[in-house]
Every structure is written in structure tokens, then in C-alpha cells.
Amino acid sequence: MSDLFNLKNLPTDLKPAVVDLLYRLADDSILIGHRNSEWTGIGPILEEDIAFSSMAQDKMGHAAAYYTLLHELGEQDPDTLAFMRDAHDFRCCQFVALGNIAPDAPAESPDNCNNPTRDRLMAHGDWAISFVRQFLFVQADVVRNSALESSRYDPLASLCRKIRGELRYHTMHAESTLRHLAHGTDDSRDRIKKSFVYLWPYALGLFEATAHDQALADACICPTQADLQREWRARIDPMLADAGLTIDESVQPKFGGRTGKHEQALVDALADMQKVYRLEPTATW
Amino acid sequence: MTDTQWPIFEVFHQQTRGEPHVHVGSVHAVDAETALLMAKEQFARRQACVNIWVVAADDITATPYEDADIFEHGTDKSYREAFGYQTTKRAKAVGDTEEI
């Protein structure tokens, strides 16, 4: 392998590509972390609630670490990046921003004077959607992370080596839970199937090609999205087949997130996630 | 009260290799595989851990509390205790410097 790049010797022409890659990683992490954390306290059973929340916190930690790498490259500080940017500045895929509620859920929710998001989640939340998303996401996350462990951009490679163990647990949890639900009851099978069909076009958005793909691959910083997607499919296809989930190869992927084109779901998620920070951005925590 | 939840698994946690596994609590789970996954997050997310055991609570055979008097020491039996012997002292000295 050629010489590693660090903060000091990263070629100027590669910097925008690395910055874009880090935004994609960070924004995916913070959004899946935020969406999964919405279940904290009302997860399906106590133990799973705690495990799911703990993994959500892991993803928040990964996001903070990626934002720190961005800050080192001259972007704003991590809190500002997480809490002061608007939806069109985010480079996450649309997949991670989706709410934990089926698209055909009733529009009306009871007002329990709690908060509207939580009231709606308690009335219409579908944990099957959250779990199937988590399964598809962590498999992509681990494929991406293991490729980046040998990235030529050394600060990123060493971070990815650090979070390998956490992601290993995320995949163990996801694979075991999918197997149990798929071989569980008619209800559990139907619910993961329904969620899978809804989520699949969005999941493909994880691998939306970007203008920087070839430059990053040529510089040995990150494989192309097409390569990562192939590896992801090689991992998940046998597991999905075992779970009785059939992939519709003809669906149109939900692209747009990587260039800042998002659905209302991201605007809603950010409104909740950024609300407290924006009340008083100069407050010390 | 009837427990309508999944079976209980007792959780044993090992802080470093060579140390004994210590009982730290329990989790509800459908099977041992799930119990391990749940135990990891309930009991090892904040403290050091290298290994976890889970044991189905139903597989544990225990003495009844009504029989607790079998553990009582009726008379002075300090002659049964080993701390007076030289060997014990030597073993302890070794144990303090290296892992047995």
C-alpha cells in the first residue's frame, strides 16, 4: 500500500471527496441513532429496549467521532454540525431518516400531552420497521466499516478499527433477531415481510453513487458504492433467503439523500433532534 | 403472581480472564442465544467484561430457604479452618504475585 494520508499530507484535490465521505458516514450514523432512540422506554420488551437504545447510543458516538474528523479538516465543531444544519445540508440516505411508523398508519394520533412524536409512536409505531431497517443498515455499516479499516486516510482507518467490536455486536443482534422473527409466528413473519417490502427501495439508497466515488476508490480511501453494495448483497442475500424474504430486483432505489434531497421524514427528525440545542445554542452542557 | 414473560436466564459475568464468573442478575429471553445477546447490553455495556455465561433459571437446583438451618454452625469448629497452615500462607503469597 502506498503512503498513508493524514491531516497534513491529504492532497488538496482529494479533500472535498474525503469531507463528503465523512458527512455521509456521520449523517447516516446520527440519523439511525436518533430514529432508533425514539423507542427508548417504549421498546417491545425491557431487555430489547435497553439493547436497542444502547446500540442507538453507539451510533451517536460514531457520529460524534466522524464529526470530529470533519472538524479537524476545517468544518465546524461537532455540535454545530449536528444541531445547526438544515435538512438540505445533510448527506444521509433517505433510508435512515424514515420514521418508525408504517406509511399506511392513520394520520390522526391521540394527544397525550407528552410530545407529538412520542404520542404518535406509542399509537402507531411499528418496531418491525425499525428492526428490519436496523438489520439492513448494520450489514451495510459493517461492510463499509471493514473496508474503511484499511482506508488510506489514516484518521478514518484508525477510527473504523476502534468501532469494529461495537458493530460486530450490532450484526450479531440483527442476525439472531431476524432469524428468530422469521422462524417465529405468522404474525412476526408477516410483519418483517411487510416492513422489508416497504424498506427495500430506501435501503438501496445507502449505496447511491456520488461524484466522488471514483476519486476515493482510485486513492484507496473508500471502495466505490457499487463495490460496497455487491459485498452487502453477498452478505445479506443468504440471510434474507433463510428469512423467506424475496428481493424485488426491479424496484427503483430511493436516491437523493447523498446530494441533500430529502423527504419530510428528515425535516421532522431534525425538528425533534435539534429542538433543545437550538433553544440556546451558546449554552454550556 | 404468575410470570407471563419469557423464561428467565441467570447471568454470570467475568471481568478478566482467569477470574471467577460472578452472578450479576437475570434477563428474560426466548432461548440461551438471545439471553446472551441481551445480557451483553444489560450487564456489560458500562463495566469491563471478557466473558458472559447464561444459565436457564429452571436448570438451577437450589436449597430451600426453609432448610437454611443446615448452614448454621452449632459449635466452635475453627479446627476445620485452613488459615493456620503454612501451606495456605505460601499459596496466598504465590497467588498475590501470579495468577494460579
Side-chain angles (χ1 to χ4, degrees):
Chain A
M1 155 90 81
S2 25
D3 289 345
L4 295 175
F5 292 137
N6 54 44
L7 269 182
K8 292 206 178 76
N9 68 357
L10 180 65
T12 323
D13 59 329
L14 277 176
K15 194 177 145 183
V18 171
V19 166
D20 186 65
L21 169 65
L22 289 171
Y23 270 118
R24 285 183 269 135
L25 293 167
D27 293 346
D28 274 3
S29 297
I30 201 165
L31 263 301
I32 190 108
H34 175 76
R35 281 305 194 185
N36 286 352
S37 76
E38 289 181 352
W39 284 108
T40 300
I42 50 172
I45 58 160
L46 176 66
E47 287 85 345
E48 181 57 37
D49 182 320
I50 292 171
F52 212 62
S53 301
S54 180
M55 291 188 289
Q57 285 184 331
D58 289 345
K59 288 314 294 173
M60 290 291 185
H62 302 169
Y66 294 130
Y67 286 135
T68 303
L69 293 186
L70 279 164
H71 187 41
E72 288 166 6
L73 282 167
E75 300 296 296
Q76 286 173 295
D77 66 281
D79 279 352
T80 306
L81 292 180
F83 299 121
M84 295 306 283
R85 283 181 305 146
D86 295 324
H88 59 84
D89 301 320
F90 274 73
R91 292 293 175 266
C92 52
C93 51
Q94 296 179 2
F95 180 57
V96 291
L98 292 172
N100 300 302
I101 291 166
D104 56 0
E108 295 299 311
S109 315
D111 180 7
N112 296 323
C113 302
N114 186 352
N115 76 48
T117 307
R118 205 159 172 87
D119 287 346
R120 187 154 170 72
L121 189 65
M122 289 181 78
H124 305 303
D126 186 348
W127 194 79
I129 289 180
S130 312
F131 169 70
V132 174
R133 167 169 55 189
Q134 170 73 1
F135 173 84
L136 294 169
F137 179 83
V138 298
Q139 299 297 344
D141 208 16
V142 81
V143 163
R144 193 156 67 178
N145 195 75
S146 31
L148 292 173
E149 280 179 38
S150 50
S151 170
R152 195 172 167 195
Y153 187 56
D154 197 42
L156 178 58
S158 67
L159 170 60
C160 290
R161 288 192 290 267
K162 236 188 279 179
I163 64 183
R164 176 194 339 187
E166 286 180 356
L167 294 187
R168 177 126 190 253
Y169 175 79
H170 294 196
T171 54
M172 286 166 71
H173 169 275
E175 288 163 24
S176 170
T177 308
L178 181 69
R179 215 174 338 102
H180 279 89
L181 292 176
H183 299 282
T185 63
D186 286 343
D187 182 40
S188 68
R189 265 186 295 278
D190 288 349
R191 289 179 62 181
I192 58 166
K193 259 183 203 162
K194 190 166 165 246
S195 304
F196 179 75
V197 170
Y198 164 56
L199 290 167
W200 184 249
Y202 286 98
L204 294 172
L206 277 160
F207 301 100
E208 176 179 354
T210 77
H212 300 294
D213 275 11
Q214 204 51 52
L216 290 168
D218 290 346
C220 301
I221 291 172
C222 179
T224 63
Q225 295 304 307
D227 280 349
L228 292 172
Q229 180 167 357
R230 259 190 296 279
E231 223 181 301
W232 176 66
R233 287 292 302 269
R235 256 187 93 95
I236 62 171
D237 281 12
M239 301 177 202
L240 296 177
D242 173 72
L245 299 171
T246 319
I247 296 169
D248 177 359
E249 302 288 357
S250 69
V251 297
Q252 279 299 106
K254 295 273 191 183
F255 287 150
R258 304 305 188 193
T259 52
K261 293 180 196 74
H262 297 287
E263 296 185 336
Q264 183 62 27
L266 179 66
V267 178
D268 295 344
L270 293 182
D272 279 344
M273 190 179 90
Q274 301 177 328
K275 185 160 59 186
V276 175
Y277 186 88
R278 287 187 178 206
L279 288 175
E280 189 53 76
T282 54
T284 332
W285 296 84
Chain B
M1 196 171 73
T2 326
D3 191 342
T4 55
Q5 301 204 58
W6 289 330
I8 292 172
F9 286 80
E10 299 297 339
V11 181
F12 299 79
H13 162 277
Q14 188 187 36
Q15 273 194 333
T16 47
R17 283 182 84 134
E19 290 293 309
H21 285 70
V22 177
H23 182 236
V24 283
S26 58
V27 291
H28 289 93
V30 286
D31 54 23
E33 175 189 329
T34 312
L36 275 178
L37 284 170
M38 296 299 117
K40 187 263 166 189
E41 287 299 346
Q42 321 302 309
F43 297 108
R45 72 182 188 283
R46 296 208 179 98
Q47 48 181 322
C49 181
V50 293
N51 197 262
I52 289 177
W53 288 347
V54 291
V55 179
D58 284 348
D59 287 345
I60 294 174
T61 312
T63 56
Y65 280 109
E66 302 86 76
D67 293 343
D69 52 359
I70 63 173
F71 300 109
E72 278 175 21
H73 298 269
T75 59
D76 174 21
K77 281 189 282 285
S78 54
Y79 53 85
R80 279 186 174 183
E81 290 157 16
F83 53 71
Y85 295 102
Q86 291 302 321
T87 319
T88 316
K89 285 178 188 158
R90 277 206 303 280
K92 194 168 171 354
V94 172
D96 283 347
T97 54
E98 58 188 74
E99 215 170 77
I100 320 180

